[in-house]
Structure formats: structure tokens, C-alpha cells
Amino acid sequence: MIAIGCDHAATALKEDLKDHLRQRGLECLDFGASGEAAADYPVAAFKVATAVAQGHCALGILLCGTGVGISMAANKVRGIRAVCCSEPFSAKLSREHNNSNVLCMGARVVGAAFAKMILDAWLDASFAGGRHCARVEMIAAIEDGSFSC
Ligand code: RB5
């Protein structure tokens, strides 16, 4: 199950990506927003990030105008490694090297067709492990206050 959410700037893109997920045979859980009323991006970020962090959803997708605010908010939830991407290469590497678990994009930055390419690159990649494990563990240590260097 993939969690998906957005603010008011990205409701149309969210519907496009939900269709795309369905076409790929993937189920998603929509945490809003919908309609045109202003919707604060931290709300969707918190709901989707919490669903992923608590294991209810394997991965999350978050969309706002730029992808920036919603990724910042998601990364405040313990266990979340959200990446804000506007091209497929970083999306792929964020999975392979950083084990990203939430993909964020900006509806005012990327068009729907390109967003689908970015999403596919992210979904098709997986964590490479190996030398990357210790670095991802360091991120977690920074998060829980135990990091020292
Ligand atoms: C909303 O106008 C806009 O600020 C939001 O969608 C996002 O771009 C914030 O990072």
C-alpha cells in the first residue's frame, strides 16, 4: 500500500499519479487534500509520513507546489527519509543509496508526464544496502540524538 497526499496546489497531479499507480497494479491510500480550498501542506505531510513511519503503508508520495515545504514537514517525522525530486536520476539514487521512503514532487515544477517518469524511476529502484547502510544509520542517529563524530 502506498500513501499519497498533497496540498491545494497539487490535487490534479495527485489524481494523475493515483491513476498511474492503479495502472501499475499498485494500491494507494489517499490522505487528501481534495478540491480547490487552501490546504496546508504540513497536514498531508504529517498524515502520509505517519502512515509510512508506523508501517501502515510501505511508501509515501507527497505533492505540493514545489515539493519543498511538504518534504521538509515529512522529514520531521521520525523514520522518514523524504526526497524532493524533479528528475528521475535523483529519485532512483534516493532509493538505492538513501533508502528514501517518501517521494515529494512539485506540481508547479514538473508536468504530469514527467512526474510519472520520476515516480516510475523511484518505484523501480530499491535500496542497495552495503556501504550505504552505515550512512543511513547515521541519519537515524542524528534524528535520535545519538550521533557523534
Ligand atoms: C502553496 O502556495 C505553496 O506554498 C506550497 O504548495 C508549496 O510550494 C510549499 O512548499
Side-chain angles (χ1 to χ4, degrees):
M1 183 68 72
I2 297 181
I4 191 165
C6 67
D7 75 357
H8 56 277
T11 52
L13 179 60
K14 185 182 68 177
E15 294 308 316
D16 285 335
L17 295 187
K18 281 166 62 180
D19 284 345
H20 189 65
L21 289 170
R22 271 185 224 109
Q23 282 167 22
R24 283 188 58 133
L26 296 170
E27 280 189 87
C28 67
L29 198 51
D30 187 347
F31 287 88
S34 55
E36 287 173 18
D40 299 325
Y41 58 79
V43 174
F46 178 75
K47 289 178 180 175
V48 166
T50 300
V52 173
Q54 293 184 347
H56 303 304
C57 293
L59 295 169
I61 299 166
L62 284 167
L63 312 163
C64 68
T66 58
V68 173
I70 211 157
S71 61
M72 287 180 170
N75 273 318
K76 296 298 179 188
V77 175
R78 187 178 291 261
I80 292 304
R81 292 173 301 279
V83 60
C84 180
C85 268
S86 53
E87 38 73 29
F89 181 75
S90 299
K92 177 177 187 285
L93 269 288
S94 80
R95 289 276 279 153
E96 293 179 355
H97 289 195
N98 319 113
N99 202 12
S100 62
N101 49 14
V102 175
L103 172 66
C104 305
M105 291 186 281
R108 295 171 180 158
V109 179
V110 292
F114 200 48
K116 288 174 197 170
M117 289 176 66
I118 295 167
L119 177 56
D120 284 339
W122 189 68
L123 290 172
D124 291 341
S126 53
F127 186 48
R131 71 185 191 278
H132 304 295
C133 288
R135 294 164 186 160
V136 173
E137 283 165 12
M138 286 181 195
I139 296 173
I142 292 171
E143 190 172 70
D144 71 22
S146 66
F147 187 71
S148 63
C149 56

